[in-house]
């Protein structure tokens, strides 16, 4: 396997709005980030993925961009950004920017032009269609509820928006659009950025006829995913982007690709295809979604988690490269979802980190994950801010759903779980701001915060720090092959990683019960070394049979 810096790196995602406010307006900003770079250095991460900081009317918190080459006023200035990247680089931290080019804001000058007239030079920058039988051009549902089409009176046509109606989709069939994107990417690369995380990049190529999706019972609109995800020209476009832009720089790329299978994952990430370095797949975070989608919640099972993770580990091995994540700004907090955010919060947060960071791929930490931050339960819908959540709530209320039942879904799955402010200390608003935060702080900040975590050697923070250090010290963590163990065990997720003569045994207990780990007969060893564990362990203990305590995790290196 070829060595690459981005395979050996650990990435930390910053959601700037919620990270650190420096000027008291209640909104995180770039100077806030600068003030916390020493914290990130201490944690030991190599790369920051920064969610969008470009000029935006914030319909979707910066994922609706009105100027790709300017900084959002709330976040600061270009001079602040330049200082930020310089300070990162000084500390040996690389910067990956979010690239949101499936759509722009409807306030982007291109769209303002595009909607003027059918013969405007920018008309074809977006996807316009006349209505059909007095309705939308097709039956696709937007990711944020309702139709994916918006009627525009000026020209009497509809435009496509897979997300909010303030996020019109760009028309990638138009070569001018692609050139604009490539020029913009070069603009940032020439300013020193070290890569891109590409927002819903597998949605840029639509089946040109835009066929109707399959209508789901009881639903007004249909899921059109198979006509816009991994579409007919997506690989051609990404190869073009690679040729024209990425090949000229030593940068890392990660594509956000919902609905991708391992076979497609290989197409995106096989090095010889020259597209992307890795993708974010969604199968493991969709395990608790039913046929009705994200809000149709049903419990995930450990058996399914094993199947899904193992499939990705094995199928990409030697062919492509995995990203490893349990959290980001769109997902609920992992410790609340896959662990126990009550009694065993600390143990289970460490266990989940072990489970993830020992796999093959590049690990991503989402801000606050390293503290074991949890989901939040606001009592009123008025306390929520996320457009996806608010649109869904409104739609379900209109459908006659019980408000409390909808709130329960939000408590479990809502994106604002990840977006409450970073908990820095136990002062007011968790030290995030001296003003009024744009979204309330999770009330558990008095107990869960960075200051307390840094002072406590047994904290989740120090455990992450150690995991990151281990990655630097043991090649097998990066380059070893993966094998699942104890496939049918109902409580334990265990696997090995092997490189040459070295084998790692990773054992994790996904339950609040005691679980017995038995080493399979085919694994033998003459020496063993405990690399990390989330409980005190007797170093002399042999591996043949181990009683794993609730949410216990251990990693041994065998030779
Ligand atoms: C995926 C982003 O992660 C999410 O936050 C955003 O709402 C959509 N793409 C649309 O840009």
């Amino acid at each position: 396997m070829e060595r690459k810096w981005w395979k050996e790196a650990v990435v930390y995602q910053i959601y700037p709005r919620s990270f650190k406010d420096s000027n008291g307006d209640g909104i995180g900003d770039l100077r806030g980030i600068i003030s916390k770079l020493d914290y990130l250095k201490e944690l030991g991460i190599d790369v920051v993925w920064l969610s969008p900081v470009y000029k935006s009317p914030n319909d979707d918190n910066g994922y609706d961009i009105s100027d790709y080459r300017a900084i959002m006023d709330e976040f600061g200035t270009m001079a602040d950004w330049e200082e930020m990247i310089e300070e990162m680089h000084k500390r040996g931290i690389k910067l990956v920017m979010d690239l949101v080019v499936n759509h722009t804001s409807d306030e982007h000058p291109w769209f303002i032009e595009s909607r003027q007239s059918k013969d405007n030079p920018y008309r074809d920058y977006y996807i316009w269609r006349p209505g059909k039988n007095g309705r939308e051009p097709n039956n696709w549902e937007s990711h944020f509820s309702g139709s994916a089409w918006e009627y525009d009176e000026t020209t009497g046509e509809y435009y496509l928006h897979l997300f909010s109606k303030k996020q019109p989709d760009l028309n990638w069939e138009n070569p001018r659009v692609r050139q604009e994107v490539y020029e913009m990417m070069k603009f940032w690369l020439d300013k020193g950025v070290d890569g891109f995380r590409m927002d819903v990049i597998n949605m840029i190529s639509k089946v040109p006829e835009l066929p109707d999706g399959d209508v789901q019972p009881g639903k007004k609109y249909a899921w059109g995913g198979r006509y816009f995800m991994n579409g007919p020209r997506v690989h051609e476009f990404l190869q073009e982007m690679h040729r024209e832009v990425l090949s000229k720089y030593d940068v890392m790329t990660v594509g956000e690709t919902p609905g991708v299978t391992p076979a497609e994952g290989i197409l995106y990430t096989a090095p010889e295809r020259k597209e992307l370095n890795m993708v974010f797949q969604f199968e493991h975070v969709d395990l608790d979604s039913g046929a009705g989608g994200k809000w149709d919640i049903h419990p995930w099972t450990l058996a399914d988690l094993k199947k899904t993770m193992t499939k990705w580990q094995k199928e990409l091995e030697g062919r492509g490269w995995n990203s490893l994540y349990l959290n980001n700004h769109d997902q609920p907090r992992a410790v609340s979802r896959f662990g126990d955010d009550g009694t065993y919060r600390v143990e289970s947060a460490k266990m989940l980190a072990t489970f993830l960071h020992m796999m093959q791929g590049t690990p991503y930490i989402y801000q606050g994950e390293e503290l074991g931050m949890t989901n939040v339960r606001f009592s009123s819908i008025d306390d929520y801010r996320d457009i996806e959540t608010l649109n869904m709530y409104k739609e379900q209320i209109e459908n006659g759903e019980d408000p409390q039942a909808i709130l329960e879904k939000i408590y479990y799955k809502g994106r604002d779980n990840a977006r409450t402010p970073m908990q820095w200390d136990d002062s007011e608003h968790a030290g995030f701001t001296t003003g009024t935060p744009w979204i309330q702080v999770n009330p558990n900040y008095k107990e869960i915060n960075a200051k307390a975590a840094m002072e406590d050697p047994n904290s989740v923070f120090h455990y992450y720090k150690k995991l990151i250090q281990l990655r630097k010290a043991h090649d097998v963590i990066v380059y070893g092959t993966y094998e699942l163990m104890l496939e049918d065990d109902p409580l334990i997720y265990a696997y090995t990683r092997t490189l040459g003569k070295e084998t790692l045994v990773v054992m994790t207990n996904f339950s609040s019960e005691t679980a017995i780990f038995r080493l399979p007969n085919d694994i033998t060893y003459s020496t063993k070394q405990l690399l990390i564990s989330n409980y005190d362990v007797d170093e002399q203990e042999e591996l043949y049979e181990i009683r794993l305590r609730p949410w216990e995790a251990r990693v041994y290196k065998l030779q």
Side-chain angles (χ1 to χ4, degrees):
M1 215 177 280
E2 209 189 335
R3 295 190 84 103
K4 289 281 179 197
W5 65 263
W6 42 264
K7 294 182 181 171
E8 298 174 11
V10 176
V11 184
Y12 186 93
Q13 183 192 353
I14 293 182
Y15 192 67
R17 209 175 179 76
S18 304
F19 192 62
K20 172 69 186 166
D21 176 22
S22 71
N23 63 357
D25 67 357
I27 298 174
D29 49 40
L30 300 180
R31 302 216 68 83
I33 296 174
I34 297 172
S35 74
K36 293 297 181 185
L37 290 178
D38 286 333
Y39 169 82
L40 296 181
K41 181 76 195 155
E42 171 72 22
L43 181 59
I45 53 97
D46 308 283
V47 178
V48 165
W49 151 26
L50 184 60
S51 277
V53 294
Y54 315 98
K55 201 170 166 59
S56 163
N58 282 306
D59 194 48
D60 186 20
N61 288 357
Y63 283 91
D64 50 318
I65 296 167
S66 55
D67 184 346
Y68 287 105
R69 297 174 195 230
I71 300 295
M72 188 190 301
D73 291 338
E74 293 94 319
F75 289 171
T77 64
M78 191 60 93
D80 295 331
W81 183 90
E82 281 159 2
E83 188 178 325
M84 179 191 73
I85 188 169
E86 197 185 318
E87 290 298 321
M88 285 180 176
H89 285 167
K90 257 193 221 162
R91 290 168 178 77
I93 296 174
K94 293 184 191 281
L95 174 63
V96 162
M97 294 279 275
D98 223 302
L99 184 77
V100 189
V101 290
N102 173 70
H103 44 266
T104 68
S105 162
D106 67 338
E107 297 181 34
H108 193 290
W110 301 336
F111 190 75
I112 294 173
E113 285 293 321
S114 186
R115 74 194 323 177
Q116 298 298 325
S117 66
K118 289 187 188 167
D119 57 7
N120 187 285
Y122 287 91
R123 186 67 168 180
D124 282 344
Y125 271 47
Y126 296 87
I127 302 175
W128 292 94
R129 292 286 186 281
K132 242 191 207 164
N133 313 322
R135 274 195 62 164
E136 299 90 358
N138 73 20
N139 65 5
W140 294 359
E141 181 174 38
S142 136
H143 284 87
F144 294 161
S145 305
S147 171
W149 294 93
E150 182 71 9
Y151 183 70
D152 199 48
E153 282 200 342
T154 315
T155 56
E157 288 192 335
Y158 293 81
Y159 64 86
L160 179 69
H161 60 88
L162 294 179
F163 294 88
S164 99
K165 61 179 186 225
K166 286 185 66 61
Q167 292 167 299
D169 279 54
L170 282 166
N171 175 20
W172 274 71
E173 300 291 325
N174 181 348
R176 282 177 58 206
V177 166
R178 306 205 297 274
Q179 281 312 316
E180 298 262 20
V181 170
Y182 304 155
E183 289 311 310
M184 177 270 282
M185 290 171 74
K186 287 185 209 156
F187 169 83
W188 288 103
L189 290 164
D190 292 339
K191 285 176 91 58
V193 313
D194 303 288
F196 292 108
R197 173 270 186 187
M198 304 187 185
D199 192 68
V200 290
I201 200 68
N202 66 330
M203 299 189 192
I204 56 178
S205 164
K206 281 87 177 168
V207 170
E209 299 77 29
L210 309 176
D212 273 338
D214 308 320
V215 189
Q216 293 164 25
K219 282 201 124 186
K220 191 163 168 205
Y221 296 104
W223 178 238
R226 63 185 163 116
Y227 301 118
F228 61 73
M229 297 196 309
N230 314 308
R233 298 183 69 190
V234 68
H235 296 291
E236 174 197 334
F237 294 158
L238 288 175
Q239 286 171 10
E240 181 183 82
M241 178 193 280
H242 191 276
R243 216 167 37 242
E244 300 221 359
V245 186
L246 299 168
S247 61
K248 304 189 164 88
Y249 303 83
D250 177 23
V251 291
M252 74 164 250
T253 52
V254 49
E256 190 207 20
T257 54
V260 83
T261 62
E264 283 153 348
I266 293 168
L267 294 179
Y268 287 111
T269 66
E272 68 279 7
R273 290 177 53 84
K274 300 191 181 344
E275 296 187 16
L276 302 171
N277 297 146
M278 58 192 123
V279 291
F280 290 128
Q281 59 88 11
F282 278 68
E283 291 189 342
H284 64 306
V285 290
D286 285 340
L287 289 175
D288 47 14
S289 300
K294 165 169 182 169
W295 300 108
D296 174 18
I297 297 166
H298 72 145
W300 62 275
T301 66
L302 185 61
D304 285 340
L305 188 67
K306 287 185 190 182
K307 236 182 257 153
T308 303
M309 298 305 284
T310 300
K311 183 173 72 174
W312 279 90
Q313 288 287 297
K314 291 313 293 175
E315 293 198 28
L316 264 60
E317 202 164 87
R319 301 197 187 100
W321 189 251
N322 271 299
S323 69
L324 304 170
Y325 76 99
L326 291 173
N327 286 278
N328 61 41
H329 63 293
D330 295 327
Q331 299 294 332
R333 292 281 177 182
V335 69
S336 300
R337 188 185 202 177
F338 297 106
D340 169 3
D341 64 7
T343 316
Y344 295 111
R345 183 186 66 83
V346 170
E347 290 81 357
S348 65
K350 293 176 182 174
M351 182 284 283
L352 290 167
T354 317
F355 156 77
L356 197 72
H357 283 236
M358 290 296 137
M359 289 198 179
Q360 190 185 84
T362 301
Y364 288 72
I365 301 169
Y366 177 69
Q367 65 187 43
E369 177 183 335
E370 78 281 16
L371 307 175
M373 276 178 63
T374 69
N375 281 352
V376 73
R377 298 168 72 93
F378 294 135
S379 55
S380 160
I381 189 67
D382 300 336
D383 293 329
Y384 286 89
R385 299 286 176 267
D386 173 26
I387 181 168
E388 180 191 48
T389 293
L390 298 175
N391 287 359
M392 180 278 288
Y393 185 87
K394 191 164 163 272
E395 186 181 87
Q396 298 208 354
I397 288 287
E398 282 164 11
N399 291 344
E401 295 260 346
D402 167 44
Q404 191 56 37
I406 312 175
L407 275 180
E408 289 298 331
K409 295 185 206 177
I410 297 170
Y411 295 159
Y412 182 78
K413 271 275 183 78
R415 305 198 295 183
D416 281 338
N417 283 308
R419 299 175 180 188
T420 62
M422 179 73 178
Q423 292 163 206
W424 291 109
D425 58 39
D426 64 2
S427 68
E428 206 189 0
H429 306 311
F432 163 69
T433 181
T434 53
T436 307
W438 69 277
I439 184 170
Q440 280 175 49
V441 170
N442 191 318
N444 63 21
Y445 71 92
K446 296 246 177 222
E447 183 203 342
I448 306 171
N449 62 67
K451 183 163 177 282
M454 290 179 81
E455 286 164 3
D456 171 7
N458 287 318
S459 67
V460 180
F461 176 89
H462 285 286
Y463 194 89
Y464 268 87
K465 195 174 154 180
K466 182 153 186 210
L467 280 174
I468 297 168
Q469 287 167 353
L470 284 173
R471 190 176 181 81
K472 312 284 170 224
H474 303 274
D475 271 355
V476 59
I477 297 176
V478 182
Y479 296 107
T481 56
Y482 166 99
E483 287 302 334
L484 182 69
M485 298 162 84
L486 313 182
E487 186 178 342
D488 299 322
D489 193 291
L491 306 179
I492 297 174
Y493 193 133
Y495 58 92
T496 56
R497 301 287 310 284
T498 306
L499 185 70
K501 290 198 170 61
E502 288 179 3
T503 298
L504 291 186
V505 174
V506 181
M507 46 183 98
T508 56
N509 179 0
F510 268 77
S511 82
S512 302
E513 297 164 38
T514 303
I516 309 294
F517 170 90
R518 289 195 182 83
L519 192 70
N521 293 334
D522 57 327
I523 301 178
T524 54
Y525 60 91
S526 45
T527 62
K528 65 167 194 321
Q529 183 194 356
L530 179 70
L531 293 189
I532 193 165
S533 62
N534 62 350
Y535 279 84
D536 285 334
V537 168
D538 169 8
E539 301 257 352
Q540 301 311 313
E541 193 179 1
E542 292 299 338
L543 260 66
Y544 302 109
E545 187 172 303
I546 291 177
R547 288 173 71 81
L548 291 175
R549 289 153 282 187
W551 306 98
E552 182 163 356
R554 301 187 193 184
V555 180
Y556 287 95
K557 184 164 153 182
L558 308 181
Q559 263 176 324

